Amino acid sequence: MAQLTLKDVRKVYDSKVEAVRSFNLTIADGEFVVFVGPSGCGKSTTLRMIAGLEDITSGTVSIDGRVVNDAHPKDRDIAMVFQNYALYPHMTVYKNMAFGLMLRKLPREQIRERVERTAILLGIDKLLDRRPKALSGGQRQRVALGRAIVREPKVFLFDEPLSNLDAKLRVQTRTEIKNLHQRLRTTTVYVTHDQEEAMTLGDRIVVMSDGRIQQVDTPLRIYRAPVNRFVAAFLGAPPMNFLNGTLNSREGGIWFDFADTLPLRMLDRHADALRPHLGRPLVLGFRPSATSESPTGKFAGQGNAMRLEAAVVEPMGEVMDVSCRTPKGQPVVVRIASRDDLKAPGPIELHLDMDHVHIFEPGEFGRNLVV
Amino acid sequence: MSDPATRSRRSFSVPRALGFAALVVLGATFTAPFLWQVLISLSSLTDVDLLTRTGFPPVLKPENYPQVFRKVEFARYFFNSFFVAGWVTLLQVITSAMAAYAFSRIRWPMRDRVFLLYLATLMIPGVVLMVPNFAIVLGLGMFNTYWGLIVPAAFSAYGTFLLRQFMLTIPTSLDEAAAIDGAGHWRVFTQVVLPLARPGLIVLAIFTFLGNYNSFFWPLILTKDDNLRVLPIGLLAFDSTYGRETPLIMAGSLMAMVPPVLVFVVLQKYLVKGIQLGAVKG
Ligand SMILES: Nc1ncnc2c1ncn2[C@@H]1O[C@H](COP(=O)(O)OP(=O)(O)OP(=O)(O)O)[C@@H](O)[C@H]1O
Ligand SMILES: [Mg+2]
């Protein structure tokens, strides 16, 4: 078990591509941290620097307080699960799992015992004599997992381990990985570009973009209080809605005025944060689920209504997703309680939970003014 | 895939028949010279000219075969060829594999340029290298020794190229997994890359063995002792020293063909197995 620290870590490929810029993060002993972000944002690069597979251009990586920048991967006591599993094709499942232990010169008996115990834990004990070629995708994935677990390393590193599995198996294995972590409590760094995987697995999520950390926090806090528009847009499905407009002060409050739909009244507790931005172009964001047709409970109040044109309805059981448009055609998706009699196309009136409305500065990385 | 049994039961068709006919003709074209060789090797020297007319020797002379061993040190030449080609093959596969690993797996400055430079040596014709090589071998005191026959052929840009290309197809994530599992370069090389490169190693081994087993000019200029002679030179003896004894040349070269054929037959089994191994994902 170990604490993992990255300090000012940078990676420049071929003295041109800056893949990771000043990455600072401390991962506590036993913590499960997920790196998430769009393709090419530097997740794998960061993970590979932790593993020692990639040189660190500057900064330090330490495991348990020991700087490991120059340590060979084998001296870092880590285990990694690759996206393509990277099982040794010429070795049996048993040998695949035992290889690392053999290289560490464990006694034969102990190796057998550990491999068998791990195989049973993962339900692959019947496959030990097979070659990877004779396994299904899910089984290979398990063997790759087993090969990492059996070593009992200080840190687990996962690089998109589920992306080659079909949807059902992916969800199932995800749960298993979470279970496993709760049992083993090994410090884990998990890379994915799937926001759902990130939300469900991580103790903390690191949202990255273009080699930079955008936000680090627990899944729920990131979901509820994204620090900028990028993070807000990246996490959550369907994604957050964004509408342009300006803030104006009147009737003893601050209102967000749109070009083509009803103004919304901001909460008083945000007034101080918003006042400096009056009159400037801003972006209002709210999640599809922060809306309701009935103005009750947290959807009650004044100045929280929105009149839209419903275009397409997608029932999902208890709730339904409705794709709407503002009068000028800006798209808005809302998730509301299902009902049979909603006409689409047709007008729809919604009420927003103003507690979950965000105001961003303009631009892709516009700061969230209300967190 | 349909298995061969059901396929062969498929009904007759004209294109298929034509295909078979073409194959038969081609096969005959390839086997005819060998049959001819067998016939000559079994006839007496005086009957050779007759063969073109009769197509079959009037008297069979199987004693040509033992004759070959009696007239020259054929067993010795056999051993020499086998010994030299064997060592060259072993050494060349090892050095090429190690160089290929360095050129495909280890990162070092100017690597790919150095590789291109090495590869460029392939463009120099062998004859041009003959004299300088000879001078070097002479300088090293390897003239008229097994060393001189083996060492210069133990390194090969072609072999390095072949194996490097092969190793480039082995996913690097396997080395990385092995490195994390605790393997250094030596173990990655011997326990991961080499086993997976086996088809490439075998192809190179076959090429090298056959090429070296047949080599003529280099052994000719490098050796003067009879007991260092290799087969192709030894067979020459029947052409000059004792006059042209065609049946003995044929008998000798037929026997000389046995080891390469054996090498091919034995190794190709592994070759097929190796190809079936598959890579990371099925
Ligand atoms: N070996 C390399 N040489 C040069 N540039 C590289 C190399 N590896 C990655 N990069 C670049 O570094 C950046 C980050 O790559 P990285 O693989 O870390 O992204 P990622 O977040 O893992 O993306 P994905 O989700 O697609 O795996 C990309 O712009 C990529 O093109
Ligand atoms: Mg990646």
Side-chain angles (χ1 to χ4, degrees):
Chain A
M1 298 258 192
Q3 170 181 305
L4 184 66
T5 311
L6 290 93
K7 194 158 177 299
D8 296 324
V9 171
R10 267 179 82 233
K11 175 69 190 183
V12 183
Y13 281 112
D14 311 323
S15 47
K16 289 190 296 279
V17 189
E18 192 168 11
V20 178
R21 324 168 190 237
S22 193
F23 196 100
N24 283 291
L25 183 69
T26 297
I27 298 170
D29 182 20
E31 198 177 11
F32 196 122
V33 168
V34 179
F35 292 178
V36 69
S39 190
C41 69
K43 310 179 292 285
S44 297
T45 303
T46 311
L47 197 73
R48 291 167 57 81
M49 285 192 285
I50 299 172
L53 299 173
E54 213 70 69
D55 290 334
I56 300 164
T57 308
S58 67
T60 56
V61 172
S62 12
I63 299 174
D64 266 347
R66 181 173 75 101
V67 175
V68 294
N69 281 32
D70 297 321
H72 188 272
K74 70 177 195 287
D75 302 321
R76 298 191 183 197
D77 202 5
I78 45 149
M80 182 156 166
V81 177
F82 293 80
Q83 180 171 0
N84 64 8
Y85 314 145
L87 299 177
Y88 311 121
H90 56 300
M91 299 182 191
T92 60
V93 168
Y94 180 86
K95 189 92 190 295
N96 261 284
M97 291 171 68
F99 190 60
L101 301 178
M102 288 173 177
L103 293 183
R104 284 181 166 71
K105 306 230 159 27
L106 257 72
R108 192 173 276 275
E109 264 319 296
Q110 206 176 329
I111 294 178
R112 173 153 291 280
E113 195 265 320
R114 258 160 83 164
V115 171
E116 276 167 3
R117 179 157 41 92
T118 310
I120 289 169
L121 180 72
L122 292 167
I124 50 173
D125 46 317
K126 299 274 186 304
L127 309 173
L128 286 175
D129 294 326
R130 296 219 200 146
R131 294 266 169 90
K133 200 174 175 295
L135 301 177
S136 71
Q139 290 169 332
R140 280 177 209 184
Q141 213 285 335
R142 250 162 239 268
V143 176
L145 218 57
R147 183 171 66 179
I149 294 170
V150 78
R151 290 247 323 275
E152 297 174 11
K154 279 187 182 168
V155 181
F156 278 139
L157 305 174
F158 293 88
D159 195 352
E160 309 205 17
L162 306 184
S163 55
N164 282 330
L165 301 180
D166 63 50
K168 195 167 160 221
L169 209 52
R170 194 150 61 219
V171 173
Q172 193 181 323
T173 318
R174 193 171 76 195
T175 314
E176 249 166 74
I177 290 179
K178 188 155 191 170
N179 251 325
L180 223 50
H181 177 255
Q182 270 158 10
R183 191 142 19 142
L184 304 171
R185 284 280 155 217
T186 306
T187 312
T188 303
V189 184
Y190 186 107
V191 163
T192 178
H193 61 253
D194 179 350
Q195 54 93 19
E196 192 182 312
E197 228 167 273
M199 295 285 290
T200 48
L201 278 174
D203 290 330
R204 278 194 301 162
I205 296 181
V206 178
V207 183
M208 295 176 66
S209 162
D210 202 15
R212 252 186 274 270
I213 296 184
Q214 297 297 328
Q215 188 170 8
V216 184
D217 216 327
T218 63
L220 272 187
R221 278 213 292 267
I222 289 196
Y223 183 80
R224 290 193 179 138
V227 293
N228 61 34
R229 182 169 163 184
F230 175 84
V231 176
F234 194 78
L235 292 176
M240 187 181 275
N241 298 297
F242 297 103
L243 292 170
N244 298 325
T246 49
L247 285 171
N248 294 299
S249 176
R250 63 173 177 267
E251 298 166 30
I254 293 182
W255 293 75
F256 196 93
D257 293 320
F258 303 95
D260 55 354
T261 171
L262 295 178
L264 294 173
R265 188 186 161 131
M266 298 292 108
L267 296 179
D268 287 339
R269 65 184 158 92
H270 295 319
D272 287 343
L274 294 177
R275 193 154 290 125
H277 301 275
L278 294 178
R280 290 214 235 131
L282 295 169
V283 181
L284 178 137
F286 62 95
R287 297 203 182 273
S289 51
T291 56
S292 165
E293 282 188 292
S294 65
T296 53
K298 55 188 182 173
F299 301 100
Q302 284 181 334
N304 72 345
M306 191 168 263
R307 282 198 198 115
L308 301 166
E309 181 76 10
V312 179
V313 178
E314 294 173 51
M316 317 220 301
E318 292 299 305
V319 294
M320 57 187 189
D321 286 354
V322 186
S323 301
C324 312
R325 304 207 168 281
T326 64
K328 279 194 179 160
Q330 295 189 72
V332 173
V333 175
V334 297
R335 178 167 284 184
I336 52 178
S338 288
R339 64 180 173 97
D340 286 331
D341 50 352
L342 179 69
K343 285 206 179 57
I348 180 169
E349 180 164 317
L350 295 156
H351 300 271
L352 267 62
D353 174 2
M354 292 309 290
D355 232 357
H356 289 114
V357 166
H358 307 276
I359 306 294
F360 300 99
E361 291 182 324
E364 193 193 348
F365 294 94
R367 192 163 59 90
N368 189 347
L369 299 175
V370 297
V371 296
Chain B
M1 267 216 268
S2 64
D3 69 301
T6 53
R7 219 190 295 172
S8 69
R9 252 186 270 121
R10 246 188 250 152
S11 57
F12 175 86
S13 77
V14 175
R16 262 173 87 74
L18 283 179
F20 273 122
L23 285 178
V24 167
V25 171
L26 210 66
T29 320
F30 276 103
T31 26
F34 287 104
L35 287 175
W36 196 239
Q37 197 181 357
V38 172
L39 287 179
I40 296 179
S41 76
L42 288 170
S43 54
S44 65
L45 185 56
T46 45
D47 291 340
V48 170
D49 293 333
L50 227 63
L51 267 181
T52 45
R53 260 175 287 136
T54 59
F56 202 80
V59 265
L60 286 182
K61 268 190 75 185
E63 56 272 29
N64 280 344
Y65 284 80
Q67 191 85 15
V68 173
F69 286 88
R70 252 178 278 125
K71 285 211 167 170
V72 295
E73 291 289 335
F74 194 73
R76 179 80 203 184
Y77 305 157
F78 225 125
F79 169 80
N80 284 346
S81 274
F82 208 81
F83 181 79
V84 170
W87 273 109
V88 166
T89 304
L90 185 72
L91 292 175
Q92 197 184 109
V93 167
I94 292 174
T95 57
S96 298
M98 292 173 92
Y101 183 87
F103 280 124
S104 67
R105 290 311 218 238
I106 306 176
R107 280 182 233 172
W108 42 281
M110 307 273 285
R111 180 184 83 179
D112 293 350
R113 270 174 222 201
V114 172
F115 176 70
L116 275 184
L117 207 65
Y118 189 34
L119 204 58
T121 62
L122 280 178
M123 289 192 290
I124 306 170
V127 197
V128 176
L129 295 172
M130 202 69 85
V131 174
N133 267 351
F134 187 78
I136 294 172
V137 167
L138 207 60
L140 290 172
M142 291 179 181
F143 177 72
N144 202 31
T145 61
Y146 282 126
W147 291 106
L149 292 176
I150 295 170
V151 174
F155 310 92
S156 153
Y158 170 75
T160 306
F161 170 70
L162 185 85
L163 293 185
R164 173 185 177 265
Q165 298 314 102
F166 202 91
M167 286 181 189
L168 287 178
T169 65
I170 301 171
T172 47
S173 57
L174 290 179
D175 323 19
E176 292 174 349
I180 288 174
D181 262 347
H185 274 305
W186 181 248
R187 277 194 190 275
V188 173
F189 177 61
T190 54
Q191 300 195 8
V192 179
V193 173
L194 276 193
L196 293 175
R198 194 162 74 175
L201 300 177
I202 288 170
V203 168
L204 179 63
I206 291 175
F207 284 176
T208 308
F209 188 87
L210 296 188
N212 201 264
Y213 189 79
N214 288 331
S215 75
F216 174 77
F217 203 61
W218 181 254
L220 183 67
I221 59 169
L222 199 85
T223 56
K224 59 174 200 253
D225 288 1
D226 188 48
N227 62 7
L228 278 179
R229 288 211 177 131
V230 290
L231 278 171
I233 300 168
L235 287 174
L236 206 61
F238 295 114
D239 197 15
S240 49
T241 325
Y242 302 87
R244 170 166 293 178
E245 296 195 68
T246 319
L248 296 190
I249 295 182
M250 291 305 166
S253 21
L254 266 179
M255 288 189 283
M257 261 161 49
V258 173
V261 170
L262 278 184
V263 163
F264 193 79
V265 168
V266 170
L267 288 187
Q268 67 136 21
K269 195 177 70 193
Y270 291 101
L271 190 66
V272 175
K273 246 196 225 158
I275 289 168
Q276 285 170 342
L277 256 175
V280 179
K281 291 187 64 203

